[in-house]
Amino acid sequence: MTDCDLPLLNDDERARYEWQLWTPEFGEEGQRKLKAATVLVSRVGGVGGTVAYYLAAAGVGNIVLAHAGNVKPSDLNRQLLMTTDWLGKPRVESAVRRLNELNPHVNIVPVAENMSDQNADKLIREVDVVVDAAPLFCERFAMNQAAVDHRKPLIEAAMFDFEAQLTTIIPGKTPCVKCLWPENPPEWKREFPVFGPVSGTVAAMAAVEVIKLLTGIGDLMTNRMLRIDLRTMKFRELPIAKNPACSVCGSILEN
Amino acid sequence: MIEVTLRFDAQFRRVTNSDERLLELPENCSLLEALRHSAENYAEAFSKRLFTSAQAVQPTILVFVNENMVNSQEADQYRLKPGDEVSLYTPIAGG
Ligand SMILES: [Zn+2]
């Protein structure tokens, strides 16, 4: 998209984003790039919901939310887009309502489904960036396959207990999910210990990666993985590499 | 003998009750031998998480020696040096 194709900002938007517009390498053009973008976030729990909240606040123009099911009491310690008055009602509706309250200038597209091999291709083909915050590897694998097929960047955010990890996947240039975890880990369970600020920490970092990806600012977390332990406040940056034998991205040539 | 440190993440801590362990190993010991040796100190749950039924390292465990990612299927060829730090990261997907 060339500069003149980017959508213009109105005065309300200039006022709302004033403080981030002060970032020298961002400016009005950066804001217009965010406004033009479409980002898919799956799911919108402790990690994904917080990513979506920051992206909406920052003015990412179109945010697609994929999450099935209704709000449960046990969601409320970390899923900041869910509220007590929405218990028993669809999660994705609660998320849309909260994001619209925060920023009426952004377009929120709810999909009341979790990601799967059935819907990933159709949903990912239409977006610019995917944020993977799904609690099951089968959902992560489905997003990874479609992201690689359509050459879409995929931000991988995950946590367990006081630990979290983050990496940014650019198909063909970095390892993909299957390079790192070639099969469904037998021991992983969907229920995991979590405090909201731990999922929120990695979510905030993932949202920064999206903003950097869309605007070209800074250096992405590519070909490296951040592994953080908030119990000890130790952060490790670990180099990671493509697996040439990867079943998903092994045959893609770097360009 | 050489000394090598083995570091655990949160899921491994649940089965080892420790953050790390100092291993005393024979010279020129392979990474796979070191991991098998370490498993003797822990309950069955540790081995079950780390190894396949064929006693190879699970392909979904990320293994780093210092800052180098080691392909888990090549752990038998990787020779450890004195002072190496081996970190084991289990797959996590909490969202
Ligand atoms: Zn791959």
Side-chain angles (χ1 to χ4, degrees), chain A residues 75-86:
Chain A
D75 296 341
L76 299 175
N77 78 319
R78 65 195 184 283
Q79 299 189 15
L80 299 183
L81 301 183
M82 313 304 157
T83 52
T84 306
D85 63 343
W86 217 262

Side-chain angles (χ1 to χ4, degrees), chain A residues 17-110:
Chain A
Y17 307 124
E18 183 180 11
W19 286 42
Q20 68 196 38
L21 287 165
W22 292 340
T23 308
E25 65 267 57
F26 181 69
E28 185 144 336
E29 190 187 336
Q31 191 65 56
R32 290 166 68 198
K33 285 178 182 165
L34 295 189
K35 185 173 180 175
T38 303
V39 177
L40 169 74
V41 181
S42 170
R43 303 182 190 186
V44 285
V47 175
T50 311
V51 173
Y53 203 63
Y54 274 123
L55 296 183
V60 170
N62 307 279
I63 305 173
V64 184
L65 309 176
H67 199 151
N70 297 330
V71 179
K72 294 193 291 191
S74 60
D75 296 341
L76 299 175
N77 78 319
R78 65 195 184 283
Q79 299 189 15
L80 299 183
L81 301 183
M82 313 304 157
T83 52
T84 306
D85 63 343
W86 217 262
L87 285 168
K89 294 193 270 185
R91 289 193 179 103
V92 83
E93 286 179 15
S94 184
V96 170
R97 180 195 47 142
R98 294 266 275 165
L99 296 176
N100 283 334
E101 283 168 4
L102 173 68
N103 190 349
H105 296 283
V106 300
N107 174 36
I108 310 296
V109 181

Side-chain angles (χ1 to χ4, degrees), chain A residues 45-48 133-137 140 157-161 163-165 180-188 192-193 225 227 229 231 236-241, chain B residues 7-14 19 45 48-50 52 58-62 64-69 71-73 85-95:
Chain A
V47 175
L136 291 171
F137 278 88
R140 289 180 181 258
M159 56 74 54
F160 176 88
D161 199 313
E163 298 179 4
Q165 74 189 16
L180 300 170
W181 303 284
E183 56 191 56
N184 205 5
E187 303 275 334
W188 176 256
F192 49 89
M225 170 179 283
R227 190 77 196 206
D229 182 353
R231 197 185 288 268
R236 277 192 91 184
E237 180 194 338
L238 296 159
I240 53 176
Chain B
R7 295 231 162 102
F8 303 122
D9 72 354
Q11 292 192 91
F12 272 118
R13 270 205 302 275
R14 278 170 167 63
D19 295 333
K48 199 165 163 253
R49 197 169 266 284
L50 181 55
T52 65
Q58 288 278 6
T60 55
I61 305 279
L62 298 181
F64 288 85
V65 178
N66 308 319
E67 302 297 306
N68 303 313
M69 186 163 80
N71 185 324
S72 58
Q73 306 319 297
E85 293 184 358
V86 179
S87 304
L88 301 177
Y89 291 113
T90 53
I92 61 174

Side-chain angles (χ1 to χ4, degrees), chain A residues 144 148 169 172 174-180 241-252:
Chain A
N144 182 60
V148 171
I169 294 169
T174 70
C176 78
V177 174
K178 280 263 181 151
C179 288
L180 300 170
K242 276 184 76 169
N243 175 2
C246 175
S247 62
V248 175
C249 77
S251 60
I252 298 185

